[in-house]
Amino acid sequence: MVAVSGGKDSVALLHILVKIEKVFPKACLCAVTVDEGVRGYRDEALNFAIGNCRKLGINHVVTSFKELYSYSLDEIVKMTLEKGESGKGLTPCAYCGVLRRRALNLAARKAGVDKLATAHNLDDEAQTMLLNILHGDALRIARVKPVLAEVHPKFVQRVKPLCEVPEKEIALYAYLKRIEFQSVPCPYAPTALRSDIRVMLNRMEEKHAGIKFTLIKSVERIRPGLEAVAEEVKLQDCRECGEPTVGEICKPCQMLRKLDIR
Ligand code: SF4
């Protein structure tokens, strides 16, 4: 199953995987889109996702925050502002990332697939490495890999086939292939620390070509050391929803609880 947002990376990945799949008749490909509920942004992206899947003849599942959590991201953001949660470091992207990961896993599990491919590119990966360090969670780097470990039967294994491809090259591929995708950025993106890291890394890349790739390669070299000191994560069922989690209550339930949604 391919996670298709409707942006250039995920749509390009879908086109590439469809091409590859033809050589492997036993493989079966489908797609999923999570509609977070961002007015004027996701609705347009969703149309690009639907259009591309239709054109390629791919089974496509659409799931949404509203359907899963009863509220859209816009509504959640409004609630965080009213409750003052946004001042505690919980940006719209913090909610979006956690709730979308859960939504993708639920959709992949329901579809019975054995891999969930996401379109994280080299730029995303380099940003994530720095984000983990800046969030004080350096050991998390050990878990951010091109093929994520299978840690629990309820988690569909995630793979990132484009994680060594620079964003600009994917954009070029999409333009050359005349692939239709959404190019408008999410209105919440500038609120996230990731956005500042993106600007910083892009500036550095302009002056020192190849720096993002060097960062990823450096992390690969220290990963075995990090894996050796990182404690093995013990998962148990969330007391509220039954999904696997490290504590008693999973992150999505904690977030929704804070907003009195659960
Ligand atoms: Fe979600 Fe943030 Fe991405 Fe917008 S920029 S889709 S809020 S993670």
Side-chain angles (χ1 to χ4, degrees):
M1 178 173 256
V2 191
V4 181
S5 66
K8 64 179 182 323
D9 303 309
S10 62
V11 177
L13 175 64
L14 182 70
H15 279 253
I16 293 165
L17 290 181
V18 165
K19 231 179 180 182
I20 294 173
E21 193 219 353
K22 287 190 180 132
V23 192
F24 297 92
K26 281 186 188 165
C28 185
L29 206 62
C30 58
V32 57
T33 302
V34 179
D35 178 1
E36 300 92 346
V38 180
R39 192 192 286 262
Y41 166 69
R42 182 54 77 216
D43 29 14
E44 198 199 342
L46 184 59
N47 287 334
F48 282 107
I50 293 171
N52 275 284
C53 289
R54 204 170 281 158
K55 212 167 165 180
L56 295 165
I58 294 293
N59 276 341
H60 184 210
V61 176
V62 178
T63 182
S64 70
F65 279 14
K66 190 93 182 171
E67 170 193 322
L68 294 170
Y69 313 117
S70 308
Y71 291 91
S72 68
L73 185 64
D74 282 340
E75 288 167 333
I76 290 173
V77 171
K78 199 167 163 241
M79 282 189 268
T80 62
L81 292 173
E82 284 165 5
K83 287 180 177 288
E85 287 296 335
S86 60
K88 295 177 197 163
L90 290 178
T91 59
C93 294
Y95 282 95
C96 186
V98 168
L99 298 178
R100 188 178 44 216
R101 260 195 303 281
R102 165 63 54 82
L104 285 172
N105 190 60
L106 289 176
R109 208 165 72 209
K110 197 170 167 197
V113 300
D114 59 359
K115 298 279 181 287
L116 176 66
T118 60
H120 292 94
N121 58 42
L122 177 75
D123 297 55
D124 298 325
E125 293 296 278
Q127 291 155 19
T128 302
M129 300 304 170
L130 288 184
L131 259 179
N132 284 328
I133 292 169
L134 296 178
H135 277 151
D137 203 359
L139 291 180
R140 201 185 163 91
I141 289 175
R143 301 204 295 270
V144 184
K145 296 192 273 194
V147 177
L148 270 71
E150 292 178 272
V151 288
H152 194 282
K154 279 188 175 175
F155 284 139
V156 177
Q157 190 177 32
R158 283 194 291 141
V159 295
K160 297 182 271 187
L162 299 181
C163 69
E164 289 194 359
V165 186
E167 188 181 0
K168 277 186 180 171
E169 287 185 21
I170 300 172
L172 184 63
Y173 176 85
Y175 280 116
L176 290 176
K177 293 284 179 187
R178 299 182 193 281
I179 292 172
E180 292 187 335
F181 60 86
Q182 194 206 31
S183 49
V184 178
C186 173
Y188 296 126
T191 61
L193 174 58
R194 180 181 285 276
S195 175
D196 297 326
I197 294 176
R198 177 185 294 121
V199 173
M200 181 187 80
L201 278 173
N202 284 347
R203 270 198 207 127
M204 290 172 79
E205 183 76 32
E206 289 241 324
K207 277 176 91 174
H208 314 281
I211 211 153
K212 292 174 193 169
F213 195 69
T214 310
L215 176 61
I216 296 292
K217 288 293 150 190
S218 298
V219 168
E220 264 175 28
R221 290 184 69 184
I222 59 170
R223 186 177 288 121
L226 290 172
E227 280 174 337
V229 292
E231 282 175 27
E232 202 189 317
V233 184
K234 287 202 175 61
L235 296 167
Q236 52 182 311
D237 290 350
C238 169
R239 234 174 40 199
E240 307 228 336
C241 68
E243 290 298 311
T245 177
V246 275
E248 285 196 348
I249 298 178
C250 70
K251 194 87 181 155
C253 286
Q254 282 178 30
M255 286 181 152
L256 298 175
R257 239 188 189 192
K258 262 191 190 162
L259 298 167
D260 296 330
I261 296 177
R262 285 245 162 103

